[in-house]
Amino acid sequence: MTSNRMIHSVIFSLKHEKGSAEELRFLEDGRSALSTIEVVQEFKVFKQISHKNTYDFGFSMVFDSEADYEAYHVHPQHVAFVEDRWEKEVVQFLEIDYSEV
């Protein structure tokens, strides 16, 4: 049986020096801003440990439906984080959106 739930993951690298206070602040500010949006579930922050790609971190979250996912994209907290932080501090990223089959 399939589910309407979807997982939104974005893997990324920052312009900040690895291990810096700026890097940590970005991750914590992302967690604070995005995890408190009502439709976001199971928000997690990950650090890449493999050397198989060039990304350093990941944000992952679950939505009950595509409608919740779309609501997240236009939510003022998400829009502000993207405009104020993401666009200025992220140097590369890849988004992956998937659901269970």
Side-chain angles (χ1 to χ4, degrees):
M1 176 183 279
T2 61
S3 168
N4 289 336
R5 288 175 46 111
M6 53 184 302
I7 299 168
H8 171 64
S9 297
V10 59
I11 57 172
F12 58 93
S13 295
L14 298 169
K15 70 177 190 175
H16 307 299
E17 184 177 331
K18 292 188 188 322
S20 68
E22 293 85 4
E23 183 183 75
L24 181 60
R25 189 173 312 114
F26 179 91
L27 298 173
E28 288 304 317
D29 289 351
R31 182 190 322 267
S32 295
L34 304 175
S35 69
T36 57
I37 298 172
E38 303 81 22
V39 294
V40 172
Q41 299 177 36
E42 301 176 38
F43 185 90
K44 293 185 170 64
V45 178
F46 297 101
K47 181 176 181 180
Q48 172 66 266
I49 59 172
S50 171
H51 298 290
K52 294 180 182 179
N53 67 62
T54 59
Y55 299 101
D56 296 316
F57 299 101
F59 288 162
S60 177
M61 61 201 81
V62 176
F63 298 97
D64 277 338
S65 66
E66 193 169 337
D68 283 353
Y69 174 69
E70 294 302 325
Y72 162 78
H73 270 282
V74 297
H75 193 282
Q77 284 174 233
H78 176 254
V79 172
F81 183 75
V82 169
E83 290 176 355
D84 298 342
R85 303 296 299 278
W86 189 269
E87 292 176 352
K88 297 173 184 173
E89 299 176 59
V90 172
V91 294
Q92 66 172 351
F93 72 95
L94 173 66
E95 287 189 42
I96 303 170
D97 299 311
Y98 44 102
S99 63
E100 188 175 337
V101 291

